[in-house]
Amino acid sequence: MQKKHINKITAVADKRMLLIGGVLGLVSAIILWLSFGAIGVVTAIIPILIGVYESHAANSFNKYMIRRK
């Protein structure tokens, strides 16, 4: 094992999970749109909001730096 400074560790949003969530959200949005109308459109927005949140969380983690001694 090699020692790594804490600032060298970075976060990356998992694209596979976002893709799976997007596909499931799209399928459920289509089903709900055919059944209830406008609720399907609102349901389609949820995976997008989760993706934006994950990206923001990863960027916030990567911007935080600890002062070196």
Side-chain angles (χ1 to χ4, degrees):
M1 284 187 56
Q2 297 177 357
K3 289 186 178 182
K4 238 181 191 182
H5 192 272
I6 194 77
N7 289 345
K8 300 260 184 197
I9 298 172
T10 58
V12 178
D14 190 7
K15 301 295 182 189
R16 292 177 295 166
M17 294 304 288
L18 293 175
L19 181 65
I20 291 170
V23 169
L24 290 175
L26 183 62
V27 169
S28 65
I30 291 171
I31 292 170
L32 288 173
W33 180 64
L34 293 174
S35 300
F36 300 110
I39 295 174
V41 176
V42 174
T43 305
I45 295 172
I46 293 172
I48 295 169
L49 293 175
I50 292 172
V52 169
Y53 174 75
E54 288 289 324
S55 176
H56 176 70
N59 287 337
S60 295
F61 179 83
N62 291 338
K63 286 180 184 178
Y64 187 77
M65 297 287 176
I66 294 177
R67 190 171 34 137
R68 293 181 184 240
K69 293 182 180 185

